[in-house]
Amino acid sequence: MPGTLTEFAMQTDSLIQHARDGDPQAQSKLVQIWYKRIYNFAFKFIGQHDQAMDITQKTFISMCRSLGGLQDLARFKPWLYKIAVNYCREEVRRAKAGKFVGFESVWNPEAEISPAWENSTRRHDNPESQLRYREVTDILQQALKQLNEDQREVVIMKEYEGMKFREIAEALNISENTVKSRMYYGLDALRKILESNDITRETLGYEF
Amino acid sequence: MSFKPGEAEWMGYLYHELDAETTSKMDALIQSDPEAAREWQRWQKLRAVTGLLEDKEVIAPVFYQQEPQRKTRTIPGIYKVLTGIAASLLILMVAAKFLDLHISYSKNELSISFGPAPVAEPIIKQADPGITAEQIQQLIDESLAKNSAGIEAKLKETRQALKQELAANDKTDAEQMNQLVTGSAQINEAQIRQFVSSLQTENLKLIKDYMKMSAKEQNNYMEGLLVDFSKYVQEQRRGDLQLVETRLNSIEKNTSVFRQETEQILTSILGGKNKDKEVKY
């Protein structure tokens, strides 16, 4: 395990370097490191598990194929998210054109015992708290879906993926100011959606 | 205050990505302007709520990397020819091995043959035609007769010498054996006598010791018996004495009781007679 952030960054750089040179082990390691992040980005963007899985898989296949073309190792993160964003947009377009109905809309995976539920930290909470949490996360997920695509991708990248404005700008091929502007209006829209659902810090109380 | 933050400033301040100067301006504005403070609070509250959406756990699948296709190398023409020659030679060598091919060159003759190798016939030199076979046989017979006569003479000599030596050896052996037997017999008799006498003395000593020990033990035993018997007698005597003493004591008690009773009777009788005399008077 890397001791410091610098050490970690160096290790990641060398890992990317090896993966770029075609080392399958390094590529596998990169997939292991970034899989959860890309999946969660796609899931928050699309809101469907299966599609998010597809997008994640496609993203990593593309990563392995075109990693050789990456010149600057420091730009790996925005580069990877750029691939993921493109696949997310493609998926949205496909869904709009084909009136795609996700499998999860007719099947509730949470109703069954799943490893995700077994591993969840909320498993030990009281039932009321669990229910409230589920409601809040559903509302948040729905609120994100109500944002337009431009705002949604920026909000998710910034708020949940912790990317710098510069990195987001690089990933989306836009200026930093545009990113900040989209972020501002995205958050503002999100606030309005949440307020309309009466979801504020005060209403949630001390449970969260 | 003239500073009015735009969207970029607000977002930069919210995510700590502003330069130091703008950050201090924002700090001052939030401290001084209640409207800006309310705006700041709204952003913070929103972030507190959005932070509730946690990551979903997902397990990364096993990553399989397809092996890159290997480039096929084209062999240049010259190498192809050389490889062909080498392969042909190898085939010829294998075929020759299986067909048992032999190639030899000697006396300006090249011979190629299959199957087992030809064996060269041995060259026998012709004997000298000057001496006839009969003469040779005679010479051989003569030499054989000479040899056998010499051998026989030598054998006789050695036999005689051996006989003499054996006789001498027998004689000396017999003498030595006699000496040994007589010596050993003498030694044995003396040893046996000595052994018997030692046995006798030892036995005697043992019997004496035994007798002594047994006598002593008998004495001890008798003494013990006597002591025990005397103790027993004394005990008996003591018991008898105690019995006699108790009996005597009881007799003495009975006697005293009888005397007292007799005295009482006598006093009562005497007392009655005196009363009668007083009445008479």
Side-chain angles (χ1 to χ4, degrees):
Chain A
M1 285 291 284
T4 61
L5 204 63
T6 321
E7 202 179 332
F8 176 75
M10 279 171 71
Q11 280 191 9
T12 312
D13 278 356
S14 69
L15 196 68
I16 297 164
Q17 176 86 50
H18 280 98
R20 195 176 62 177
D21 295 343
D23 180 2
Q25 280 190 338
Q27 287 179 353
S28 171
K29 190 76 183 163
L30 268 183
V31 173
Q32 295 289 326
I33 291 170
W34 286 98
Y35 197 87
K36 189 182 169 185
R37 291 269 44 85
I38 296 299
Y39 167 80
N40 274 285
F41 172 75
F43 182 77
K44 287 186 179 85
F45 195 91
I46 302 288
Q48 300 282 340
H49 168 76
D50 290 337
Q51 285 161 286
M53 288 294 276
D54 282 348
I55 289 163
T56 313
Q57 204 165 353
K58 282 177 189 172
T59 304
F60 285 109
I61 290 166
S62 283
M63 182 199 84
C64 292
R65 277 183 186 158
S66 51
L67 194 61
L70 179 69
Q71 297 299 320
D72 189 359
L73 297 183
R75 292 184 173 179
F76 174 76
K77 189 178 176 183
W79 177 78
L80 186 65
Y81 275 93
K82 189 176 188 173
I83 298 170
V85 164
N86 286 335
Y87 278 118
C88 285
R89 287 174 182 168
E90 188 186 304
E91 192 64 36
V92 170
R93 274 200 302 276
R94 203 164 62 87
K96 276 178 186 169
K99 296 194 182 300
F100 172 79
V101 179
F103 183 59
E104 283 172 26
S105 60
V106 291
W107 175 66
N108 181 14
E110 297 297 326
E112 297 182 17
I113 297 165
S114 64
W117 172 246
E118 291 293 323
N119 296 328
S120 168
T121 52
R122 298 271 171 193
R123 190 160 62 95
H124 303 294
D125 289 354
N126 63 59
E128 193 189 340
S129 173
Q130 286 171 20
L131 183 70
R132 190 87 178 126
Y133 173 75
R134 274 289 304 277
E135 280 178 0
V136 170
T137 51
D138 284 350
I139 290 164
L140 278 169
Q141 189 69 54
Q142 287 302 318
L144 278 173
K145 276 187 86 174
Q146 286 175 43
L147 298 177
N148 69 46
E149 273 179 47
D150 291 342
Q151 289 170 356
R152 198 191 317 165
E153 59 200 20
V154 171
V155 168
I156 296 168
M157 279 181 179
K158 185 68 201 167
E159 186 63 33
Y160 297 105
E161 299 306 313
M163 291 169 79
K164 301 272 182 202
F165 287 118
R166 178 184 48 77
E167 288 174 333
I168 298 169
E170 208 172 309
L172 300 175
N173 266 339
I174 50 174
S175 71
E176 261 191 68
N177 276 333
T178 312
V179 173
K180 284 174 184 171
S181 174
R182 284 182 187 177
M183 186 73 197
Y184 182 89
Y185 290 110
L187 283 182
D188 196 43
L190 202 60
R191 182 168 61 190
K192 282 170 185 161
I193 294 162
L194 291 173
E195 278 172 1
S196 68
N197 283 287
D198 199 23
I199 300 289
T200 60
R201 191 70 190 166
E202 287 76 18
T203 57
L204 293 174
Y206 294 99
E207 285 191 25
F208 298 103
Chain B
M1 191 171 273
S2 60
F3 179 69
K4 197 176 177 183
E7 297 146 7
E9 282 77 25
W10 272 117
M11 289 299 105
Y13 188 70
L14 190 62
Y15 291 100
H16 313 288
E17 283 189 47
L18 276 183
D19 58 281
E21 192 187 344
T22 322
T23 306
S24 59
K25 279 182 185 173
M26 285 295 293
D27 286 339
L29 180 75
I30 288 163
Q31 290 288 324
S32 58
D33 186 4
E35 184 57 36
R38 272 197 295 278
E39 181 74 7
W40 172 238
Q41 270 192 346
R42 277 202 294 273
W43 290 123
Q44 278 188 313
K45 282 176 183 174
L46 177 70
R47 282 205 71 199
V49 175
T50 54
L52 293 172
L53 188 58
E54 290 175 356
D55 280 342
K56 281 208 163 214
E57 285 302 322
V58 65
I59 299 161
V62 183
F63 178 81
Y64 292 106
Q65 176 72 16
Q66 206 173 6
E67 283 286 322
Q69 285 184 342
R70 287 179 184 175
K71 287 177 184 174
T72 50
R73 288 179 183 175
T74 51
I75 305 164
I78 184 73
Y79 291 114
K80 274 184 183 172
V81 172
L82 286 172
T83 317
I85 291 165
S88 311
L89 280 171
L90 186 71
I91 289 163
L92 280 173
M93 283 164 77
V94 171
K97 176 73 184 170
F98 279 108
L99 293 169
D100 208 4
L101 178 73
H102 294 281
I103 300 168
S104 63
Y105 180 78
S106 63
K107 293 176 184 175
N108 296 326
E109 284 178 358
L110 175 70
S111 64
I112 300 169
S113 64
F114 297 99
V119 181
E121 287 178 12
I123 299 158
I124 302 161
K125 281 186 179 178
Q126 293 291 323
D128 194 357
I131 304 165
T132 60
E134 285 172 0
Q135 283 174 335
I136 291 162
Q137 189 63 45
Q138 202 177 350
L139 281 169
I140 291 164
D141 290 344
E142 279 175 6
S143 66
L144 278 170
K146 272 183 186 175
N147 276 335
S148 58
I151 289 161
E152 272 180 15
K154 274 186 181 177
L155 271 168
K156 271 182 184 175
E157 278 176 13
T158 47
R159 272 177 196 163
Q160 212 165 358
L162 275 167
K163 273 180 184 175
Q164 282 173 359
E165 206 169 332
L166 281 168
N169 280 339
D170 284 346
K171 204 177 179 180
T172 49
D173 286 347
E175 280 174 1
Q176 280 177 353
M177 283 293 286
N178 283 335
Q179 279 176 359
L180 276 168
V181 167
T182 49
S184 63
Q186 281 172 359
I187 289 161
N188 281 341
E189 200 179 336
Q191 277 178 342
I192 288 160
R193 274 179 190 164
Q194 201 178 350
F195 177 70
V196 169
S197 65
S198 67
L199 267 177
Q200 280 175 347
T201 48
E202 274 180 12
N203 281 339
L204 198 69
K205 200 179 175 184
L206 275 168
I207 289 160
K208 276 180 184 174
D209 289 343
Y210 175 72
M211 289 301 284
K212 273 181 189 174
M213 277 176 72
S214 64
K216 204 181 275 178
E217 280 180 1
Q218 277 178 355
N219 279 335
N220 288 334
Y221 177 69
M222 285 304 289
E223 277 174 7
L225 267 179
L226 286 168
V227 167
D228 290 343
F229 184 71
S230 68
K231 280 180 183 173
Y232 171 73
V233 169
Q234 276 180 355
E235 281 289 317
Q236 282 288 110
R237 191 168 157 267
R238 196 179 294 135
D240 291 344
L241 281 170
Q242 279 179 351
L243 188 70
V244 170
E245 199 177 345
T246 48
R247 287 282 169 87
L248 281 169
N249 284 334
S250 65
I251 290 163
E252 199 175 349
K253 272 184 183 175
N254 288 337
T255 315
S256 63
V257 168
F258 181 71
R259 195 187 291 157
Q260 281 175 355
E261 282 176 358
T262 318
E263 276 176 2
Q264 280 178 356
I265 292 162
L266 282 170
T267 49
S268 65
I269 293 164
L270 285 170
K273 278 182 179 178
N274 287 336
K275 277 182 182 176
D276 289 342
K277 277 178 184 177
E278 281 174 4
V279 171
K280 281 176 182 178
Y281 286 119

